[in-house]
Amino acid sequence: MTDAATENNAASPSLNILAQYVKDFSFENPGAPRSLQARDKAPAINISVNVNANPMSETDFDVILSLNAEAKDGDKMLFNAELAYGGVFRVTGFPQEHMLPVLFIECPRLLFPFARQIISDATRNGGFPPLMIDPIDFAQMFTQRMAEEQVKAKVQAN
């Protein structure tokens, strides 16, 4: 390769997954076996999502996708699944202004199918129909989070 080709490859953006892991996982089925009986209506399911990223080195980042899925029938909890699923990503060649979107949009987008499968398997193994979480718009989540932080910064400035 020529020096110019080497420089272009060094400068081209790259996102690699070095590792994926379950950091924390909990499945509660407090009413079993009564909670497994047939129902007239579907339970209310509340799903919350959070993403955090921490630098490990100049190029490596630990990104944690947290999913919490809770099903209730009235005021009785049927199940609660909590998962913190992590990935170590090597991010190189991106301009600084693109780093937050890469870490908070692209990285969780890559982790999500694996985390979704873990939640689905856990609910099925808990005696319920598998919970298939709908795809998540991490770009919209990121935009909302940035807007909230801007508002918080304005409030603190005043």
Side-chain angles (χ1 to χ4, degrees):
M1 263 198 278
T2 65
D3 288 336
T6 304
E7 285 177 26
N8 284 343
N9 284 343
S12 66
S14 173
L15 174 62
N16 299 306
I17 301 177
L18 303 180
Q20 291 177 239
Y21 61 94
V22 173
K23 185 170 182 103
D24 189 23
F25 180 63
S26 169
F27 182 82
E28 298 173 44
N29 190 354
R34 283 196 166 89
S35 61
L36 306 177
Q37 295 171 341
R39 310 191 153 23
D40 296 335
K41 61 180 180 140
I45 297 177
N46 184 32
I47 297 171
S48 60
V49 181
N50 194 22
V51 178
N52 284 307
N54 299 301
M56 297 176 63
S57 71
E58 186 93 6
T59 59
D60 296 354
F61 298 85
D62 181 34
V63 177
I64 304 292
L65 171 60
S66 299
L67 298 175
N68 185 350
E70 183 180 68
K72 287 188 170 186
D73 185 12
D75 61 349
K76 289 185 182 169
M77 181 176 30
L78 298 176
F79 69 78
N80 187 31
E82 296 176 357
L83 173 65
Y85 191 75
V88 177
F89 292 86
R90 179 155 295 149
V91 183
T92 57
F94 285 91
Q96 190 61 40
E97 64 270 14
H98 293 161
M99 286 302 290
L100 285 179
V102 166
L103 293 172
F104 287 90
I105 298 171
E106 295 307 319
C107 293
R109 190 177 298 172
L110 293 169
L111 295 174
F112 177 73
F114 301 97
R116 178 184 194 225
Q117 187 64 49
I118 292 167
I119 296 289
S120 172
D121 289 348
T123 55
R124 186 192 68 234
N125 292 340
F128 298 95
L131 176 61
M132 299 301 288
I133 299 173
D134 288 337
I136 297 168
D137 185 348
F138 290 104
Q140 188 271 332
M141 237 178 86
F142 175 74
T143 303
Q144 183 178 345
R145 185 173 180 173
M146 290 296 102
E148 288 170 1
E149 288 186 15
Q150 286 177 346
V151 168
K152 197 185 306 181
K154 284 181 183 175
V155 167
Q156 288 175 349
N158 292 338

